[in-house]
């Protein structure tokens, strides 16, 4: 690790470099990495630096009051020169080309938005950022996002202005505009509800925690066929596909086990998944050709997976 510094109340920035000073893999706005804090403890963080700078990666860590060890260690105990292991580089929140963007960020949700704003600004797109937080002191990178064009940035500290006025912000659909939203679940859920009358595909979101899932019926058993071996496994009501595969000696790379990181994404060859993740959008769910096997189940009696 190259450096660590506190950049706002509760938020610490880490700059990561390779120990041999070689170039890091390329990435695009919306990408995130997994950081292994210690053996068995892995956390996901959005890259928020410059994609053109292959010498380093920048992440920002929110110190969670009820930290289970991840944010506390990264914010308080790691030091410059410490070795951190990163696993994977994925982008389930890509910036699609558009003439206009509305970015809505809440708290640490500003991190994936920063390189998106830079890309939109460089492309000459029309963009606007509404950035909310508990207070100005808690809102990271305020100067940086304002440096692109302060006239396009509307700060909304909750202690002074209350909650973001989404009813006014999203009242009228704007032609050719994509909405990108990242932040706490209440904000994302509210944006989803308030933008429901906008054209299909307008809203793109990234969650840091799983979306609430309401089920009217209990889980049932189903079969999973693994195409590589032809083995058929039975997934009982109280276990996930990931757990059953692991018990059968089939290794699948996984991380969060709550359907938010996308690490265990698996191709579906036959059958109908019961999508319970917080990664796939409506179109990806409707296609039924991929699923997160840590949380999603089956609507059909059997799934055939590319495992």
């Amino acid at each position: 690790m190259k450096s660590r510094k506190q950049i706002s109340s509760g938020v610490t920035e880490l700059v990561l470099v390779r120990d041999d000073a070689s170039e890091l893999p390329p990435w695009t706005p919306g990408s995130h990495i997994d950081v292994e804090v210690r053996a068995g403890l892995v956390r996901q963080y959005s890259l928020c630096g410059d994609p053109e700078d292959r010498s380093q990666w920048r992440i920002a860590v929110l110190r969670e009051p009820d930290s289970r060890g991840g944010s506390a260690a990264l914010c308080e105990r790691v030091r410059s020169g410490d070795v951190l292991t990163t696993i994977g580089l994925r982008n389930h929140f890509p910036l699609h080309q558009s003439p206009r963007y509305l970015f809505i960020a809440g708290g640490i949700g500003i991190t994936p938005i920063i390189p998106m704003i830079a890309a939109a600004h460089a492309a000459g797109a029309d963009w606007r950022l509404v950035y909310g937080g508990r207070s100005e002191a808690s809102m990271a990178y305020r100067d940086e996002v304002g440096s692109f064009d302060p006239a396009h940035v509307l700060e909304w500290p909750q202690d002074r202005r209350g909650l973001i006025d989404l009813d006014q912000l999203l009242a009228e659909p704007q032609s050719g505009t994509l909405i990108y939203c990242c932040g706490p679940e209440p904000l994302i859920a509210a944006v989803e509800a308030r933008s429901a009358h906008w054209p299909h595909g307008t809203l793109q979101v990234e969650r840091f925690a799983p979306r609430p899932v309401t089920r009217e019926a209990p889980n049932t058993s189903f079969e999973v066929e693994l195409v590589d071996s032809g083995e058929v496994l039975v997934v009982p009501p109280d276990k996930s596909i990931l757990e059953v595969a692991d018990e059968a000696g089939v290794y699948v790379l996984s991380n969060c086990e709550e359907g938010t990181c996308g690490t265990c994404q698996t191709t579906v060859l036959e059958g109908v998944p019961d999508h319970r993740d917080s990664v796939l959008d409506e179109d990806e769910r409707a296609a039924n050709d991929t699923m997160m096997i840590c949380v999603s189940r089956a609507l059909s009696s059997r799934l055939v997976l590319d495992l």
Side-chain angles (χ1 to χ4, degrees), residues 48-232:
C48 58
D50 179 5
E52 298 299 318
D53 184 357
R54 300 276 300 279
S55 68
Q56 62 184 28
W57 282 345
R58 184 178 72 171
I59 61 174
V61 182
L62 173 65
R63 174 60 165 94
E64 297 285 356
D66 300 321
S67 173
R68 293 175 292 173
S71 68
L74 294 177
C75 290
E76 298 167 6
R77 293 193 288 277
V78 299
R79 296 288 185 270
S80 299
D82 286 354
V83 177
L84 294 175
T85 300
T86 62
I87 308 167
L89 174 63
R90 291 177 298 279
N91 193 343
H92 295 288
F93 192 40
L95 182 68
H96 301 297
Q97 186 174 1
S98 178
R100 282 176 292 279
Y101 298 96
L102 173 58
F103 299 108
I104 304 174
I108 198 65
I110 191 63
T111 51
I113 300 296
I114 292 172
M116 292 184 178
I117 292 174
H121 187 75
D126 183 18
W127 62 272
R128 183 185 183 195
L129 167 67
V130 180
Y131 180 17
R134 294 186 305 276
S135 65
E136 287 185 354
S138 71
M139 297 165 64
Y141 299 117
R142 291 175 57 230
D143 292 342
E144 183 167 337
V145 296
S147 68
F148 293 110
D149 189 336
H152 288 207
V153 178
L154 176 61
E155 293 185 356
W156 207 291
Q158 186 175 341
D159 61 346
R160 292 197 296 106
R161 304 193 63 175
L163 297 177
I164 297 173
D165 188 353
L166 297 175
D167 287 325
Q168 179 179 4
L169 182 66
L170 301 172
E172 295 296 330
Q174 302 170 23
S175 177
T177 299
L178 291 182
I179 304 171
Y180 278 80
C181 178
C182 186
E185 179 59 30
L187 172 65
I188 293 177
V191 171
E192 287 177 329
R194 302 302 196 284
S195 65
H197 60 295
W198 286 55
H200 175 73
T202 293
L203 178 61
Q204 311 291 319
V205 305
E206 182 170 62
R207 286 175 158 87
F208 295 136
R211 76 173 88 201
V213 177
T214 302
R215 297 292 160 187
E216 297 180 358
N219 290 344
T220 58
S221 297
F222 58 94
E223 294 181 341
V224 172
E225 179 180 340
L226 310 183
V227 70
D228 286 352
S229 64
E231 186 176 5
V232 177

Side-chain angles (χ1 to χ4, degrees), residues 196-300:
H197 60 295
W198 286 55
H200 175 73
T202 293
L203 178 61
Q204 311 291 319
V205 305
E206 182 170 62
R207 286 175 158 87
F208 295 136
R211 76 173 88 201
V213 177
T214 302
R215 297 292 160 187
E216 297 180 358
N219 290 344
T220 58
S221 297
F222 58 94
E223 294 181 341
V224 172
E225 179 180 340
L226 310 183
V227 70
D228 286 352
S229 64
E231 186 176 5
V232 177
L233 307 176
V234 176
V235 182
D238 61 340
K239 292 185 178 181
S240 68
I241 300 173
L242 182 65
E243 290 174 309
V244 171
D246 182 66
E247 290 172 357
V250 179
Y251 175 73
V252 180
L253 187 64
S254 64
N255 192 341
C256 72
E257 298 188 13
E258 60 182 14
T260 57
C261 72
T263 306
C264 68
Q265 186 168 352
T266 300
T267 299
V268 179
L269 302 175
E270 294 181 26
V272 181
D274 179 6
H275 296 290
R276 302 186 183 185
D277 66 275
S278 302
V279 177
L280 302 178
D281 62 28
E282 292 182 12
D283 291 337
E284 290 168 328
R285 288 172 175 238
N288 284 328
D289 57 7
T290 189
M291 67 185 298
M292 309 302 155
I293 64 172
C294 64
V295 293
S296 296
R297 300 185 67 80
L299 296 175
S300 54

